[in-house]
Amino acid sequence: YTGGNPGIHGSDAHSIPTPMYLPKNHPLPLSRQENLENKMIFSVLGALFILIPLCNAPAAFISFLVRERVNKSKHQQTISGVSPHLYWLATLTWDLALYTFLATLLICSFFAFGNQSVYVSTNESASATFLLILVYGFSVMPLCYLYSLMFTNHSTAQISIMAINFGTGFILLLL
């Protein structure tokens, strides 16, 4: 080294160069088995994180029904001439429309994570996942409407129905 920019070697031309070590980490690629295990773990964790909001959503819709029944506002609508069948149909239609919006947002969040999720890795699996979530909501909502008739306190109804949905969903998840 003869002069010029001293850089990392020292301050003058006669000094001994100071070695620099630059460690680099290049892990081995995952095997097919390790990749499959990682996908399986992410799928189970994803299913658990999906289970909780899907248990809470129908229960949240029910708290309004219980509050409305306790406050007698449904009775006021019936006296005003609204048919009970039309009342229940309109309420169910509105709740199912909100649930459909929630299911669409859930699928969009799956797509936000890319094809790492098994739920949306192909068009067929994405369609099946969306239909499964949608059919779940359309089937659990009328059942929760029946559950709501057992309660007079809206917060107790919401917590109890969420616990029932979580208990039955968790048991099915384990099967």
Side-chain angles (χ1 to χ4, degrees), residues 138-152:
F138 280 39
S139 64
V140 79
M141 199 69 68
L143 182 63
C144 288
Y145 274 35
L146 289 175
Y147 289 156
S148 73
L149 298 174
M150 298 186 309
F151 299 99
T152 57

Side-chain angles (χ1 to χ4, degrees), residues 102-156:
L102 175 73
T104 305
L105 287 179
L106 185 61
I107 290 296
C108 289
S109 68
F110 284 155
F111 280 116
F113 285 105
N115 287 342
Q116 298 170 354
S117 172
V118 202
Y119 304 114
V120 292
S121 58
T122 64
N123 287 337
E124 291 83 16
S125 63
S127 301
T129 302
F130 180 70
L131 285 176
L132 183 66
I133 292 170
L134 204 60
V135 167
Y136 164 75
F138 280 39
S139 64
V140 79
M141 199 69 68
L143 182 63
C144 288
Y145 274 35
L146 289 175
Y147 289 156
S148 73
L149 298 174
M150 298 186 309
F151 299 99
T152 57
N153 187 349
H154 64 91
S155 60
T156 304

